[in-house]
Amino acid sequence: MSLVIEHVQIYSPGSSLHGDTSIGIDAGQFVDPAQLSNSVVIDGRGWTLLPGLIDMRVNLREPGLEHKGTIASETRAALAGGVTTVVATPNTDPVIDTPADVRLVLERAQRAETCRVLPTGLITQGGDGHLLAEMMSLMEAGTVALSQGDAPFASTAIALNALKYAASLDIPLILDPTLADLRGGCAHSGRVATGLGLSTNSPLSETLAVRLLLELVEVTRCRVHFSRLTTARAVQYIANAKKRDLPVSCDVSLAHLLFDETAIANLNPNFHLTRPLRTRHDRDALRQGVIEGVIDAIVSDHAPHEPGAKLAPFPETEPGMSMVECTLSALYALDHDGLPFAHSLRAMTTSPAHLLGLDWLGQIEVGYTADCVLVDPTGQRVFDHAHWISEGENSPYFQGVGMGQIHGIWVEGNDRTDRVSIGIRDDSR
Amino acid sequence: MPGPAELQLNRDGNLRHLLTTEGLSRELITSLLDTADGFRSAQGQPVKKVPLLRGKTVVNLFFENSTRTRTTFDIAAHRLSADVVTLDIRTSSASKGETLFDTLKNLEAMQADLFVVRHSAGGAPFFIADRVTPHIAVVNAGDGTHAHPTQALLDLMTIRQHKGDPNNLSVAIVGDLRHSRVARSLIHGLRAMQCPDIRAIAPGTLLPNDLADLGVRTFHRIEEGLSGVDVIVLLRLQKERMIAGLLPSEREFFKLYGMTEDRLRLAKSDAIVMHPGPINRGVEIANEVADGPQAVILNQVTNGIAVRMAVMAMTISTQQADALCRL
């Protein structure tokens, strides 16, 4: 059954459609509504239609970590955040380093009938950074890119081999720039950690890794996407690399755009992250990086945990924040705090679509795949216990409120609104 | 969510837990030190026994090794006539895989009035205070590299006793500030007491970043840092620092930063030398200084008992008053 959304404000970076207009959806694609007849009609007055968001870093926790979340629960949480495509990390148990693992994730995602799941696999066997995994077999099984998860390469030698091998087979890599021997520490080595005496992580662990990996990219010409930048200097290095036409891109997490090191002053374990929150200067540079397009993508870095993982003194808690469910609200919050929505939306639609080679996705335009979100941007969103979907309650938004009431969400033209408990669309309008 | 500095005070600003010296007011610290002074006799000796905490139960929860601190807390609780139970958790529940949260719930069921907590993880006493039932006071006896507030208070008591109000003194802290909860708590305490000149003296590898944000001036050469100071606080150097590659050797540390008689002369002639103990002779301090007239290290230990009595008395009394309000 085809669908027409009438009189809706279309807001889609790069699209020819904008403002008060109507759009049709048929056979999974956006179509000209004039060509449709006998369609279901939705009155979109007062609401905005956005392209479905693309989140390049989500921990779905399945297989093996179902006590933290499942593919079904966390992809539902993604839909509730306006996210219609997630790139799944390989940090599961067992990790995703064989074609069978990839197929398992794809099958369970298909069964969940929620959002689009694009798996990634590990570059090295077991993710320990020592021996190469069957990289091409993983890609053929359906991964969209390969990564090292949260872990760095064990040595520069294996990093060089991985980049050379990937470049020769045109495999894109997603890398966390972290130097193996400088990783660790639960807080940024700045004034807040100094006052609290927390174990520290130096920004050098990131900046040195970025410089080293850029040098390897220069030599190998491997396509590398740097994930979760946290420092102003790293943004500068990537900007310079792009000027030299190196095949690099990068992303930043919502947490690093929203918060800085002062968020941990009260030892709230929800702010204990794998890559620590850094200074206000770094946060501002990351926002500026998104505005200028140096930073290509924004990720939720969704990391749901069971309550017990955060029920300990700060340094002993597991790092990570449950965020995908709050993605759209976070973008609206940033819009009111110096990061215009037009830029953040691009970093979660057209830009990641392009990076992932999904050029049929990320826009509301005739002929594109019909992933979209119908939202009341001024509507308040309540994240109370009854409406929370993710298995992980380890979020600064949990028990709070946000902006952006979602009234409908479609993935490849399929209505997924009933997957989220955040207010069912009123079809009588 | 309130942090340690807020959680330890009740709505009226009275001390119901002692988790950190950060955020304590000059008035509150002064009142604690005055109380501690009251627990010492005219000769400077602590009074032997007062019935303030009769019928109260103090539980020492030591998740980390300690002899001195534990002993002084024991003595302090006994002198207040409290019943004292000491649990060496390292060798009991923790090694059986029980989480800190579950250990806490068990101990709570035993009707204690005050927990004295030492733990290797920064923020552990805060974690406990945040989740404990309202009538139980929590006193931090050292958590990771976060805080050691009773040590800082006894240091302030000793400074006040020998040199007067810290608000016109120069204080130099020498050694491993980076890994020292003692130094961190003393810095917060000195700032609260409006100390105008706090100095840190150490090589770059033993200094945390952004100390200037805490109002501390850093010096890498001890000769520059000691010039004209009233108080010198030496910190204990752990052998792990050499293994971690932060320092070449104890010998070189002593050569560059050891407190010798010659270096002591750079400070004011009546400067005092303090150390949280146990001291490493020939590493942080030369024999002549350790045994000399300007060292007040043993007096610190004596003051430690009085300060811990004051902290226990004050936190339990706040808890009692709050409990009456809840009725």
Side-chain angles (χ1 to χ4, degrees):
Chain A
M1 176 68 89
S2 61
L3 173 78
V4 175
I5 306 173
E6 288 183 339
H7 304 299
V8 71
Q9 291 287 323
I10 290 182
Y11 196 86
S12 173
S15 169
S16 63
L17 302 169
H18 51 82
D20 185 347
T21 182
S22 300
I23 184 75
I25 296 176
D26 189 35
Q29 289 193 334
F30 292 116
V31 294
D32 182 350
Q35 294 175 351
L36 294 175
S37 55
N38 296 326
S39 305
V40 172
V41 176
I42 294 174
D43 182 353
R45 254 174 288 203
W47 294 341
T48 301
L49 193 68
L50 303 172
L53 303 180
I54 302 168
D55 185 342
M56 286 183 69
R57 193 181 186 109
V58 172
N59 293 291
L60 294 178
R61 302 305 197 192
E62 192 178 345
L65 303 170
E66 288 85 357
H67 57 294
K68 296 181 185 293
T70 62
I71 289 173
S73 70
E74 302 318 298
T75 52
R76 273 185 67 218
L79 287 175
V83 174
T84 51
T85 301
V86 300
V87 175
T89 62
N91 315 329
T92 47
D93 182 20
V95 293
I96 310 298
D97 66 348
T98 68
D101 301 322
V102 177
R103 283 192 288 271
L104 179 135
V105 171
L106 286 170
E107 277 164 23
R108 295 205 180 161
Q110 198 173 13
R111 215 183 305 155
E113 292 193 329
T114 47
C115 66
R116 185 179 294 103
V117 174
L118 307 172
T120 56
L122 283 164
I123 298 165
T124 59
Q125 294 172 32
D128 63 4
H130 288 281
L131 299 169
L132 294 184
E134 292 176 336
M135 293 167 71
M136 200 57 202
S137 305
L138 286 165
M139 291 300 286
E140 284 168 357
T143 58
V144 70
L146 300 181
S147 88
Q148 267 298 90
D150 283 340
F153 288 109
S155 67
T156 311
I158 187 72
L160 174 59
N161 288 341
L163 267 66
K164 263 188 188 164
Y165 189 78
S168 62
L169 297 167
D170 201 26
I171 299 171
L173 301 185
I174 299 175
L175 298 178
D176 267 43
T178 305
L179 217 54
D181 59 350
L182 285 180
R183 71 195 294 234
C186 66
H188 167 68
S189 52
R191 62 191 180 92
V192 179
T194 291
L196 291 169
L198 294 169
S199 62
T200 55
N201 177 279
S202 166
L204 286 168
S205 66
E206 172 171 309
T207 53
L208 287 173
V210 167
R211 294 190 72 155
L212 186 138
L213 289 167
L214 283 175
E215 196 71 14
L216 297 183
V217 169
E218 184 112 36
V219 173
T220 62
R221 307 304 291 186
C222 181
R223 268 200 292 155
V224 172
H225 177 77
F226 292 87
S227 191
R228 298 191 293 183
L229 296 190
T230 67
T231 63
R233 290 175 73 86
V235 176
Q236 193 55 53
Y237 296 149
I238 300 289
N240 292 342
K242 285 184 166 184
K243 276 185 204 142
R244 286 184 290 132
D245 283 329
L246 291 185
V248 293
S249 54
C250 62
D251 68 51
V252 60
S253 86
L254 286 171
H256 288 91
L257 292 173
L258 288 164
F259 311 111
D260 62 31
E261 59 178 337
T262 57
I264 66 167
N266 290 344
L267 296 174
N268 181 341
N270 286 343
F271 294 98
H272 180 194
L273 305 176
T274 313
R275 300 171 72 78
L277 296 167
R278 301 203 186 271
T279 65
R280 176 62 61 97
H281 170 70
D282 289 314
R283 190 205 71 177
D284 291 346
L286 292 165
R287 289 179 175 185
Q288 195 57 31
V290 173
I291 291 169
E292 290 172 6
V294 174
I295 295 177
D296 305 85
I298 297 173
V299 298
S300 72
D301 194 21
H302 180 62
H305 284 295
E306 76 283 15
K310 293 288 189 182
L311 193 60
F314 186 91
E316 296 189 343
T317 55
E318 291 184 47
M321 198 181 262
S322 177
M323 273 305 272
V324 74
E325 193 164 348
C326 323
T327 303
L328 195 52
S329 292
L331 298 189
Y332 283 127
L334 286 165
D335 184 45
H336 286 259
D337 195 32
L339 177 53
F341 191 63
H343 296 289
S344 61
L345 189 61
R346 176 174 41 76
M348 293 203 79
T349 53
T350 51
S351 181
H354 176 69
L355 291 177
L356 295 165
L358 312 172
D359 288 327
W360 36 272
L361 206 62
Q363 280 188 43
I364 300 173
E365 182 81 81
V366 170
Y368 275 66
T369 293
D371 283 17
C372 55
V373 190
L374 187 61
V375 60
D376 174 3
T378 56
Q380 197 186 55
R381 176 79 181 281
V382 179
F383 292 105
D384 62 3
H385 195 271
H387 293 91
W388 191 258
I389 293 171
S390 169
E391 290 291 316
E393 296 174 351
N394 51 304
S395 171
Y397 277 90
F398 181 64
Q399 305 285 35
V401 293
M403 275 192 305
Q405 179 75 37
I406 294 178
H407 290 280
I409 188 158
W410 292 264
V411 180
E412 217 165 323
N414 297 305
D415 189 344
R416 298 291 191 223
T417 313
D418 61 349
R419 299 294 191 280
V420 294
S421 62
I422 46 173
I424 303 302
R425 190 176 62 249
D426 180 7
D427 279 322
S428 63
R429 274 180 54 173
Chain B
M1 171 179 173
E6 297 87 45
L7 189 77
Q8 62 188 349
L9 302 177
N10 74 0
R11 245 179 300 169
D12 304 325
N14 294 323
L15 197 70
R16 57 187 182 124
H17 306 290
L18 178 63
L19 306 174
T20 171
T21 48
E22 191 175 2
L24 295 184
S25 66
R26 180 178 161 90
E27 292 68 35
L28 198 144
I29 292 176
T30 303
S31 137
L32 263 170
L33 298 186
D34 290 346
T35 309
D37 281 341
F39 286 128
R40 297 171 54 121
S41 71
Q43 294 78 34
Q45 292 306 305
V47 295
K48 278 294 182 191
K49 201 142 185 167
V50 288
L52 268 176
L53 298 189
R54 181 168 292 155
K56 300 288 175 191
T57 304
V58 172
V59 180
N60 283 329
L61 298 176
F62 280 67
F63 296 86
E64 190 188 76
N65 231 342
S66 157
T67 318
R68 294 159 172 257
T69 304
R70 193 167 86 181
T71 309
T72 52
F73 269 106
D74 263 355
I75 294 173
H78 279 122
R79 291 210 175 138
L80 292 167
S81 309
D83 298 318
V84 185
V85 183
T86 295
L87 291 172
D88 192 349
I89 312 272
R90 276 180 324 131
T91 54
S92 58
S93 345
S95 52
K96 292 176 190 159
E98 190 179 53
T99 66
L100 178 56
F101 182 71
D102 291 316
T103 306
L104 168 70
K105 287 288 146 197
N106 271 285
L107 294 168
E108 217 174 67
M110 297 177 196
Q111 312 272 311
D113 297 287
L114 187 144
F115 289 155
V116 176
V117 181
R118 170 169 288 203
H119 199 285
S120 58
F126 165 62
F127 174 81
I128 290 174
D130 196 27
R131 282 163 184 81
V132 84
T133 52
H135 67 275
I136 300 178
V138 177
V139 174
N140 182 359
D143 60 334
T145 51
H146 172 224
H148 196 351
T150 57
Q151 176 72 42
L153 290 170
L154 76 87
D155 290 343
L156 291 173
M157 181 177 177
T158 310
I159 291 171
R160 205 172 74 150
Q161 189 183 357
H162 290 273
K163 309 300 304 175
D165 196 323
N167 70 1
N168 57 4
L169 298 177
S170 289
V171 179
I173 306 172
V174 188
D176 185 5
L177 281 91
R178 182 167 162 193
H179 303 94
S180 176
R181 54 192 175 206
V182 174
R184 232 170 286 274
S185 282
L186 182 58
I187 289 167
H188 290 308
L190 285 168
R191 290 192 72 192
M193 297 306 285
Q194 290 147 9
C195 176
D197 183 18
I198 311 172
R199 310 180 192 181
I201 306 174
T205 48
L206 298 185
L207 289 172
N209 288 352
D210 299 336
L211 260 182
D213 284 354
L214 297 182
V216 178
R217 288 197 290 157
T218 58
F219 295 85
H220 299 307
R221 304 275 179 184
I222 194 167
E223 288 76 12
E224 293 166 18
L226 285 184
S227 163
V229 298
D230 302 282
V231 177
I232 301 165
V233 179
L234 308 176
L235 299 172
R236 183 172 163 76
L237 187 72
Q238 310 277 357
K239 294 218 188 293
E240 293 97 279
R241 308 305 167 228
M242 269 65 77
I243 298 162
L246 295 168
L247 277 182
S249 68
E250 291 181 336
R251 187 167 55 190
E252 180 150 310
F253 181 81
F254 184 70
K255 195 170 145 195
L256 293 173
Y257 299 99
M259 188 51 52
T260 59
E261 283 189 310
D262 282 348
R263 285 180 174 147
L264 186 51
R265 274 185 219 108
L266 299 169
K268 286 209 181 119
S269 59
D270 59 349
I272 56 169
V273 178
M274 304 184 9
H275 192 299
I279 61 172
N280 291 316
R281 289 170 186 261
V283 180
E284 304 116 15
I285 189 165
N287 281 323
E288 311 82 72
V289 178
D291 303 326
Q294 286 169 272
V296 296
I297 297 165
L298 296 177
N299 195 24
Q300 286 175 268
V301 179
T302 312
N303 285 341
I305 295 168
V307 151
R308 282 160 187 143
M309 287 171 77
V311 168
M312 289 187 196
M314 191 181 267
T315 50
I316 287 191
S317 117
T318 306
Q319 294 283 0
Q320 275 177 328
D322 286 357
L324 285 174
C325 290
R326 278 193 295 271
L327 286 178

